Amino acid sequence: MYMIGVIVTGFILDLFLGDPHWMPHPVRLMGKMIAYLTKSLHKPEGSLPKSEGKNEQDEVRQGAVLVIVMAVLSFLVPLLILEIAGWFGRALRFIVESIMCYQIIAAKSLYVESMKVYQALIRRDLEGARSAVSMIVGRDTKPLNQEGITKAAVETVAENTSDGVIAPLFFLAIGGAPLGFLYKAINTMDSMVGYKNEEFLFFGKVAAKLDDVVNYIPARLSALLIILSCPLFGLSAHQAWKIFLRDRHNHASPNSAQTESAVAGALDIQLGGDAWYFGKLYHKQTIGDASRPAAADDIKKANHLMYASTVIFILLIALIRGIVAAF
C-alpha cells in the first residue's frame, strides 16, 4: 500500500497546488541541465570552423551522451535522496516520495494553462488566446484562427494526458519516483532536442527514439482510458473507439495520434492537419471527422476526460497492486 499512498497523495497535492511558478521544480532544473549539456555537446554547423563540416554520426553520438548523462542523473539523484530520507524513518521517505510524485504529475498545470486558452476564447480575445496557446504548443500560433487555436489546445490536452499524467503514473507505479523522474527526463529531452529540423535532426535522434519507446504502452493505455471515461460525460465511447482504431496512426509520431484520435472521436471533431513550425508549413494527416467546428467548450471536455482517465488509472493501479500483494 506504500506506493498507492504515494501516488494518491501526490495526485491530491497536484490537484490542489498545481505548479506555482515561484516554487523550485526539478523538471525545470532538468530543462536547464539539458540546455547546458546541449550547448556543451552540440556544435551547430554555423559555429564550426570552415574546415569542418557536420558529421551526422558524431551528432548522434553527442546526443547519445546527453541521453545517458541525463538518464543516470535523473534516476540516481532521487534514489539517493529517498535512501537518505529512509535512514530517518519510513514516514519521512513517504513524505519525500509523495512530494516527488506531485512534482512528476502535470495534470493541474495542463488544466490551468489550457483553460487560459478557453477563457480568452469565450472573451473573444483572439490575440490573448493565441498568446495563451503559444505557452503549451510548439507550433507557430500567429496563423491560427479561432478554431485552429481551439484544436491546438485540445490536441495538447489529449497528447499530454499521456505524456504529462498517465505515463508518469505508469512508471511511478512500476519503479517509484526514481523511474518517474527518469521518464520525465526522457520526455523533456524529446521536447527540447527531438525536433526533425536542421539543428537537431541527428543530435536529438536518440532522445526522440527513446521517447517513442517509453511512451509506446502508456500512449495506448491512455487512449483506452479516455474511451472508458466517455460515458461519464455523456460522450460516445463507441465513436471514440471507432476513430481510435481508424486514425491512431495518422501522425509522424507513433504515439501522439493514439490519444488524439480517442479525444477526436469522443468530441466528434477533427484534429491534426497542416501546421506551421519555425516559419515552415508541415503537411499532416487529419484525425477524426469534421462533423462540426471545434468550439471552446471542447477544451473543457478534453480536460474532463484527462482527469477521469487519471482517476480510473489510479484505481486500476491500486487494484493490480492489491491483487499482486495478495499473492
Side-chain angles (χ1 to χ4, degrees):
M1 295 303 294
Y2 171 88
M3 203 60 229
I4 297 302
V6 164
I7 288 173
V8 171
T9 304
F11 175 67
I12 292 172
L13 287 172
D14 178 72
L15 189 64
F16 287 100
L17 299 179
D19 180 19
H21 292 290
W22 56 265
M23 184 184 293
H25 199 289
V27 177
R28 285 195 284 271
L29 182 60
M30 281 182 188
K32 290 180 180 179
M33 188 67 181
I34 292 166
Y36 171 77
L37 288 171
T38 298
K39 187 176 180 181
S40 301
L41 293 167
H42 182 43
K43 306 298 180 185
E45 186 175 15
S47 67
L48 294 172
K50 291 183 179 180
S51 59
E52 297 182 33
K54 292 185 75 173
N55 187 306
E56 295 171 5
Q57 290 184 341
D58 283 346
E59 287 198 43
V60 172
R61 281 194 288 267
Q62 290 160 2
V65 172
L66 168 68
V67 169
I68 292 168
V69 171
M70 287 304 304
V72 171
L73 288 176
S74 62
F75 184 84
L76 291 184
V77 170
L79 180 63
L80 179 60
I81 292 171
L82 288 173
E83 288 300 315
I84 293 171
W87 295 345
F88 296 94
R90 190 171 176 82
L92 181 59
R93 182 183 174 116
F94 176 87
I95 292 170
V96 172
E97 192 156 15
S98 295
I99 293 171
M100 288 180 174
C101 178
Y102 151 58
Q103 293 171 325
I104 290 168
I105 300 171
K108 182 64 178 287
S109 63
L110 176 60
Y111 173 81
V112 168
E113 296 303 318
S114 62
M115 288 303 289
K116 288 178 183 177
V117 182
Y118 167 80
Q119 294 294 340
L121 287 172
I122 62 172
R123 292 196 308 268
R124 300 185 184 277
D125 178 7
L126 207 58
E127 285 306 312
R130 284 196 187 99
S131 177
V133 83
S134 71
M135 299 294 105
I136 57 174
V137 300
R139 73 191 66 181
D140 299 342
T141 58
K142 191 174 181 180
L144 297 178
N145 59 17
Q146 181 171 327
E147 185 180 11
I149 292 167
T150 303
K151 289 166 65 173
V154 171
E155 288 169 20
T156 296
V157 173
E159 184 176 354
N160 283 283
T161 295
S162 176
D163 290 2
V165 188
I166 302 300
L169 285 171
F170 178 82
F171 289 102
L172 279 164
I174 295 172
L179 198 60
F181 274 121
L182 173 57
Y183 168 78
K184 292 298 289 187
I186 294 169
N187 193 241
T188 305
M189 282 188 285
D190 178 61
S191 68
M192 292 180 68
V193 302
Y195 295 103
K196 292 183 178 179
N197 56 20
E198 186 178 355
E199 183 178 358
F200 291 123
L201 180 61
F202 299 104
F203 180 79
K205 190 171 186 178
V206 175
K209 292 296 183 183
L210 185 57
D211 186 73
D212 287 344
V213 171
V214 298
N215 278 299
Y216 188 88
I217 294 174
R220 286 149 183 79
L221 176 60
S222 299
L224 295 177
L225 290 166
I226 288 168
I227 293 166
L228 285 174
S229 302
C230 286
L232 298 174
F233 307 103
L235 301 172
S236 173
H238 173 76
Q239 179 70 3
W241 176 252
K242 172 187 168 184
I243 300 300
F244 167 70
L245 290 180
R246 191 191 75 188
D247 293 349
R248 60 199 177 100
H249 298 300
N250 288 7
H251 201 285
S253 162
N255 300 318
S256 294
Q258 303 293 324
T259 48
E260 288 183 26
S261 60
V263 170
L267 302 181
D268 202 20
I269 60 175
Q270 187 174 84
L271 301 175
D274 296 350
W276 290 83
Y277 293 87
F278 306 105
K280 181 179 179 181
L281 179 63
Y282 286 80
H283 298 288
K284 300 166 67 177
Q285 291 179 281
T286 57
I287 300 168
D289 296 326
S291 304
R292 62 175 180 84
D297 273 355
D298 291 318
I299 300 173
K300 287 177 68 177
K301 292 174 184 176
N303 276 301
H304 292 159
L305 290 170
M306 180 267 291
Y307 267 118
S309 300
T310 304
V311 172
I312 292 172
F313 188 46
I314 290 173
L315 292 173
L316 186 62
I317 291 170
L319 177 63
I320 293 172
R321 291 188 71 100
I323 292 172
V324 170
F327 290 95

